[in-house]
Amino acid sequence: MNWICVTLMVCIGLNPTMDYTNNDEFIDDVSACALHLNAMYSEEERVPVNLVIAQAIHESNWGTSRFAVEGNNLLGIRTFDPSDDQLKPLSNPNASWGLRIFETKCESISYYIDLLNHNHHYYKFRSARITQHFSDEIDLEELAMTLAIYAEDVYYTQKIIRTIRELEAYDRD
């Protein structure tokens, strides 16, 4: 299945390795991958692309973090299953968890979209998204506020909202 995804990505112009030389490239590749993956979901199940980009920026430091480079994990996705391929934090090599290793960076985005769509922890996200979908008014900041559980950092949602605002300002340039 993964080779089909990589083949499709190459055919439609996505960079399967997603190696970045600048922030514009990072945004373009994450956006292209998110758009491609969102096309596989119904409209009301799609995750707004700027939310995906904002979290990927924050979680992977623009694709330059160790977990992004060595594990293709752009979204800080953890695993507590010792049988999963994973990277342990250098500061805590004996942690009971690790960050999942993916074959491609786009695969990590796919996992993230699936996580938001199906994991019970994100029911508030899904509820807010469906309400916004039917009112035809997408509020990325409101959606970001539902993702406080995504990280241990108590300021996480504020950081994501700040990144969303920076992206929106960036888009206008």
Side-chain angles (χ1 to χ4, degrees):
M1 176 67 167
N2 285 337
W3 68 270
I4 293 173
C5 289
V6 170
T7 303
L8 283 173
M9 288 167 46
V10 169
C11 290
I12 63 171
L14 299 179
N15 175 359
T17 60
M18 291 175 101
D19 294 325
Y20 317 105
T21 58
N22 61 56
N23 292 350
D24 287 337
E25 240 179 48
F26 179 84
I27 290 171
D28 289 347
D29 282 352
V30 172
S31 177
C33 177
L35 285 167
H36 170 71
L37 293 168
N38 269 332
M40 297 180 198
Y41 288 91
S42 63
E43 268 189 57
E44 62 272 7
E45 292 181 315
R46 294 177 183 163
V47 177
V49 172
N50 271 0
L51 182 60
V52 177
I53 295 168
Q55 282 193 268
I57 288 168
H58 181 73
E59 293 290 340
S60 72
N61 191 29
W62 294 92
T64 65
S65 72
R66 174 177 160 252
F67 299 116
V69 173
E70 294 178 26
N72 293 316
N73 190 331
L74 292 179
L75 289 141
I77 297 168
R78 291 185 181 188
T79 181
F80 291 85
D81 184 345
S83 66
D84 286 339
D85 289 337
Q86 59 185 269
L87 293 169
K88 299 286 187 182
L90 294 175
S91 62
N92 191 0
N94 296 318
S96 61
W97 55 273
L99 270 78
R100 290 182 69 102
I101 295 173
F102 294 97
E103 285 189 38
T104 67
K105 291 175 175 71
C106 200
E107 183 185 8
S108 75
I109 296 169
S110 176
Y111 189 95
Y112 161 84
I113 291 172
D114 190 62
L115 187 71
L116 293 185
N117 274 314
H118 298 103
N119 187 286
H120 68 279
H121 292 295
Y122 303 106
Y123 70 92
K124 288 181 182 177
F125 170 82
R126 291 188 297 275
S127 177
R129 181 185 57 190
I130 197 73
T131 300
Q132 290 181 15
H133 173 74
F134 286 116
S135 70
D136 283 334
E137 190 172 313
I138 302 301
D139 183 343
L140 293 179
E141 293 184 19
E142 179 186 347
L143 291 176
M145 290 300 292
T146 68
L147 298 176
I149 191 141
Y150 196 86
E152 295 173 357
D153 181 352
V154 296
Y155 301 108
Y156 185 75
T157 56
Q158 289 86 348
K159 291 174 181 177
I160 297 304
I161 289 170
R162 185 173 49 245
T163 305
I164 289 168
R165 289 177 182 163
E166 290 168 359
L167 278 171
E168 289 170 349
Y170 186 80
D171 286 344
R172 284 187 232 124
D173 293 343

